[in-house]
Amino acid sequence: MDDKSNKLLLALVMLCLFGVIVLQYVCPGTECQLLLRLHAGWGTSSSAGGAAAFSGGGGDPYRAEDGTLSRFVPRFHFSEDELRSAVDFNIKGDDVIVFLHIQKTGGTTFGRHLVRNILLEQPCECRAGQKKCTCLRPGKKETWLFSRFSTGWSCGLHADWTELTNCVPALMDITTEPTPQKPRRNYYYITILRDPVSRYLSEWRHVQRGATWKASLHVCDGRAPTPSELPTCYSGDDWSGCTLADFMDCPYNLASNRQARMLADLSLVGCYNLSVMGEEQRSRALLESAKRNLKEMAFFGLTEFQRKTQYLFERTFHMRFISPFTQFNSTRATSVEVEPETQRRIRELNVLDVELYEYARDLFLQRFQSARQQEHREARRRRQQERRQLQRSRLQWVWQEEEEEELAWGQEENSTGGDYMGNVERWRR
């Protein structure tokens, strides 16, 4: 009875394993509807073990921070090269990662991950009480990371794309001229984006508490903007206590469309001189430039997708974080109760950011899908190679057994033949 039960259990286990293998071949991507349905079915099952296997630590941690991928339909077309999310970053060479930190996008948290949470041969040295960490290359007295928490605000407080692309190479190469033996170093620009309405509300709350960012330089085409080109929204030292209505009413408020402006090449639109071109032409040029620069960046993440951001960064730079990212769905921005009409106006004030974020979200999720599918293909190839290697090993073992048997048989035949000839000689005598 026990033997029959054991055989039945073994058969069920083998059947389940076979089903999983077949499912991986039939549905290798993360968008497999069959897998999603199985997930839903197992989640409501009374079997705690099955639910834990799919939704717990042993399951897919990227299967949708909110089920987004199951509902995601791409709107934009990107080539395979544009979706490829890997660069040949050489931390032991001269390559540098440059973090463009946009206000209130979760960049502070991500910046801390860069200096405190990456598994490195030579980790960043972070001392208690100091904001900056020392991030040196293995065996060199040179940094591989240009960010707030490694080099400080060396190009100005919250420097944008226009400032960083002109400032960083000048700072990093100030002592070394490129030569044929030592070519110009590679700079890999990265950033984090956030839902425009949430980001705008978060900036308002930050300004309400006294933040000004007055130390920002806003350098473009070699100079800072004049007071007439960039007026302030307040007359005192700061704008603390401002209402949301006052915040939205200021026409010079840099919070509006901040993400698009900070990612665009401002020299294309005359920097902060609004008289160079019409508003519609300027807006279109800013948006197209921001999209182009974002697409050409080595990496960008989204605040709303922490685990996917972690995954794509690791896959892009071939680095690993020590601890997983955490998705915080409750922030100061979410705690603000905003009427639908106010939300509509915020979206109008940030129309460029809204369009940029939709573009970025589409590209981000397509890159994630592509990377996961590539990962599944690589895993499938590894399994196939392992099976072929196992088959070759078995064949070699069989061939070796056959050779040993043939050798033993030959020796036995020779021995038998010798005995027979000896008997014949004795018979002749």
mmCIF file of all heavy atoms in Angstrom, residues 403-419:
data_model
loop_
_atom_site.group_PDB
_atom_site.id
_atom_site.type_symbol
_atom_site.label_atom_id
_atom_site.label_comp_id
_atom_site.label_asym_id
_atom_site.label_seq_id
_atom_site.Cartn_x
_atom_site.Cartn_y
_atom_site.Cartn_z
ATOM 1 N N GLU A 403 33.356 0.185 -24.221
ATOM 2 C CA GLU A 403 34.784 -0.069 -24.475
ATOM 3 C C GLU A 403 35.371 -0.996 -23.423
ATOM 4 O O GLU A 403 36.165 -1.898 -23.738
ATOM 5 C CB GLU A 403 35.536 1.254 -24.492
ATOM 6 C CG GLU A 403 35.243 2.116 -25.720
ATOM 7 C CD GLU A 403 35.950 3.449 -25.654
ATOM 8 O OE1 GLU A 403 36.598 3.717 -24.606
ATOM 9 O OE2 GLU A 403 35.865 4.224 -26.624
ATOM 10 N N GLU A 404 34.983 -0.772 -22.160
ATOM 11 C CA GLU A 404 35.495 -1.626 -21.093
ATOM 12 C C GLU A 404 35.005 -3.058 -21.257
ATOM 13 O O GLU A 404 35.763 -4.020 -21.030
ATOM 14 C CB GLU A 404 35.072 -1.062 -19.739
ATOM 15 C CG GLU A 404 35.757 0.253 -19.380
ATOM 16 C CD GLU A 404 35.245 0.831 -18.085
ATOM 17 O OE1 GLU A 404 34.285 0.247 -17.533
ATOM 18 O OE2 GLU A 404 35.788 1.855 -17.616
ATOM 19 N N GLU A 405 33.719 -3.217 -21.672
ATOM 20 C CA GLU A 405 33.173 -4.558 -21.880
ATOM 21 C C GLU A 405 33.886 -5.257 -23.036
ATOM 22 O O GLU A 405 34.209 -6.450 -22.961
ATOM 23 C CB GLU A 405 31.675 -4.477 -22.158
ATOM 24 C CG GLU A 405 30.847 -4.123 -20.929
ATOM 25 C CD GLU A 405 29.377 -4.034 -21.249
ATOM 26 O OE1 GLU A 405 29.019 -4.269 -22.423
ATOM 27 O OE2 GLU A 405 28.577 -3.727 -20.334
ATOM 28 N N GLU A 406 34.114 -4.493 -24.144
ATOM 29 C CA GLU A 406 34.809 -5.083 -25.286
ATOM 30 C C GLU A 406 36.229 -5.487 -24.919
ATOM 31 O O GLU A 406 36.724 -6.543 -25.327
ATOM 32 C CB GLU A 406 34.837 -4.083 -26.443
ATOM 33 C CG GLU A 406 33.475 -3.865 -27.093
ATOM 34 C CD GLU A 406 33.547 -2.858 -28.213
ATOM 35 O OE1 GLU A 406 34.656 -2.328 -28.451
ATOM 36 O OE2 GLU A 406 32.506 -2.575 -28.828
ATOM 37 N N LEU A 407 36.905 -4.651 -24.135
ATOM 38 C CA LEU A 407 38.257 -4.963 -23.703
ATOM 39 C C LEU A 407 38.276 -6.205 -22.828
ATOM 40 O O LEU A 407 39.112 -7.113 -23.013
ATOM 41 C CB LEU A 407 38.847 -3.765 -22.943
ATOM 42 C CG LEU A 407 40.280 -3.936 -22.428
ATOM 43 C CD1 LEU A 407 41.245 -4.155 -23.602
ATOM 44 C CD2 LEU A 407 40.713 -2.712 -21.624
ATOM 45 N N ALA A 408 37.325 -6.257 -21.882
ATOM 46 C CA ALA A 408 37.254 -7.424 -21.006
ATOM 47 C C ALA A 408 36.931 -8.687 -21.803
ATOM 48 O O ALA A 408 37.490 -9.768 -21.566
ATOM 49 C CB ALA A 408 36.202 -7.194 -19.916
ATOM 50 N N TRP A 409 36.002 -8.543 -22.801
ATOM 51 C CA TRP A 409 35.638 -9.697 -23.631
ATOM 52 C C TRP A 409 36.822 -10.173 -24.460
ATOM 53 O O TRP A 409 37.071 -11.361 -24.609
ATOM 54 C CB TRP A 409 34.484 -9.310 -24.549
ATOM 55 C CG TRP A 409 33.986 -10.456 -25.390
ATOM 56 C CD1 TRP A 409 33.135 -11.433 -25.023
ATOM 57 C CD2 TRP A 409 34.350 -10.712 -26.740
ATOM 58 N NE1 TRP A 409 32.924 -12.320 -26.052
ATOM 59 C CE2 TRP A 409 33.668 -11.891 -27.136
ATOM 60 C CE3 TRP A 409 35.189 -10.074 -27.652
ATOM 61 C CZ2 TRP A 409 33.802 -12.426 -28.414
ATOM 62 C CZ3 TRP A 409 35.319 -10.610 -28.918
ATOM 63 C CH2 TRP A 409 34.630 -11.780 -29.291
ATOM 64 N N GLY A 410 37.603 -9.222 -24.984
ATOM 65 C CA GLY A 410 38.770 -9.592 -25.779
ATOM 66 C C GLY A 410 39.806 -10.324 -24.955
ATOM 67 O O GLY A 410 40.415 -11.300 -25.397
ATOM 68 N N GLN A 411 40.023 -9.843 -23.721
ATOM 69 C CA GLN A 411 40.996 -10.494 -22.849
ATOM 70 C C GLN A 411 40.552 -11.914 -22.505
ATOM 71 O O GLN A 411 41.346 -12.859 -22.490
ATOM 72 C CB GLN A 411 41.180 -9.664 -21.573
ATOM 73 C CG GLN A 411 41.866 -8.327 -21.806
ATOM 74 C CD GLN A 411 41.918 -7.484 -20.564
ATOM 75 O OE1 GLN A 411 41.242 -7.787 -19.573
ATOM 76 N NE2 GLN A 411 42.715 -6.411 -20.607
ATOM 77 N N GLU A 412 39.222 -12.039 -22.257
ATOM 78 C CA GLU A 412 38.693 -13.360 -21.915
ATOM 79 C C GLU A 412 38.822 -14.316 -23.108
ATOM 80 O O GLU A 412 39.163 -15.490 -22.965
ATOM 81 C CB GLU A 412 37.233 -13.225 -21.492
ATOM 82 C CG GLU A 412 36.598 -14.550 -21.074
ATOM 83 C CD GLU A 412 35.162 -14.383 -20.646
ATOM 84 O OE1 GLU A 412 34.713 -13.217 -20.544
ATOM 85 O OE2 GLU A 412 34.496 -15.403 -20.423
ATOM 86 N N GLU A 413 38.569 -13.792 -24.314
ATOM 87 C CA GLU A 413 38.659 -14.629 -25.527
ATOM 88 C C GLU A 413 40.084 -15.089 -25.760
ATOM 89 O O GLU A 413 40.345 -16.240 -26.106
ATOM 90 C CB GLU A 413 38.147 -13.827 -26.723
ATOM 91 C CG GLU A 413 38.049 -14.666 -27.991
ATOM 92 C CD GLU A 413 37.514 -13.859 -29.146
ATOM 93 O OE1 GLU A 413 38.075 -12.751 -29.396
ATOM 94 O OE2 GLU A 413 36.551 -14.285 -29.780
ATOM 95 N N ASN A 414 41.040 -14.144 -25.532
ATOM 96 C CA ASN A 414 42.450 -14.518 -25.709
ATOM 97 C C ASN A 414 42.855 -15.587 -24.705
ATOM 98 O O ASN A 414 43.572 -16.540 -25.022
ATOM 99 C CB ASN A 414 43.343 -13.294 -25.552
ATOM 100 C CG ASN A 414 43.160 -12.316 -26.702
ATOM 101 O OD1 ASN A 414 42.742 -12.709 -27.793
ATOM 102 N ND2 ASN A 414 43.476 -11.044 -26.462
ATOM 103 N N SER A 415 42.350 -15.441 -23.481
ATOM 104 C CA SER A 415 42.691 -16.420 -22.444
ATOM 105 C C SER A 415 42.107 -17.784 -22.779
ATOM 106 O O SER A 415 42.776 -18.819 -22.649
ATOM 107 C CB SER A 415 42.162 -15.931 -21.098
ATOM 108 O OG SER A 415 42.353 -16.904 -20.107
ATOM 109 N N THR A 416 40.842 -17.791 -23.259
ATOM 110 C CA THR A 416 40.196 -19.056 -23.627
ATOM 111 C C THR A 416 40.906 -19.707 -24.801
ATOM 112 O O THR A 416 41.113 -20.922 -24.853
ATOM 113 C CB THR A 416 38.723 -18.799 -23.981
ATOM 114 O OG1 THR A 416 38.092 -18.140 -22.874
ATOM 115 C CG2 THR A 416 38.009 -20.088 -24.291
ATOM 116 N N GLY A 417 41.305 -18.877 -25.768
ATOM 117 C CA GLY A 417 42.021 -19.429 -26.934
ATOM 118 C C GLY A 417 43.342 -20.043 -26.559
ATOM 119 O O GLY A 417 43.748 -21.091 -27.077
ATOM 120 N N GLY A 418 44.036 -19.410 -25.611
ATOM 121 C CA GLY A 418 45.330 -19.958 -25.165
ATOM 122 C C GLY A 418 45.151 -21.305 -24.487
ATOM 123 O O GLY A 418 45.927 -22.240 -24.703
ATOM 124 N N ASP A 419 44.104 -21.447 -23.659
ATOM 125 C CA ASP A 419 43.853 -22.725 -22.985
ATOM 126 C C ASP A 419 43.540 -23.815 -24.002
ATOM 127 O O ASP A 419 43.981 -24.973 -23.858
ATOM 128 C CB ASP A 419 42.683 -22.579 -22.011
ATOM 129 C CG ASP A 419 43.057 -21.668 -20.855
ATOM 130 O OD1 ASP A 419 44.272 -21.432 -20.644
ATOM 131 O OD2 ASP A 419 42.119 -21.170 -20.176
#
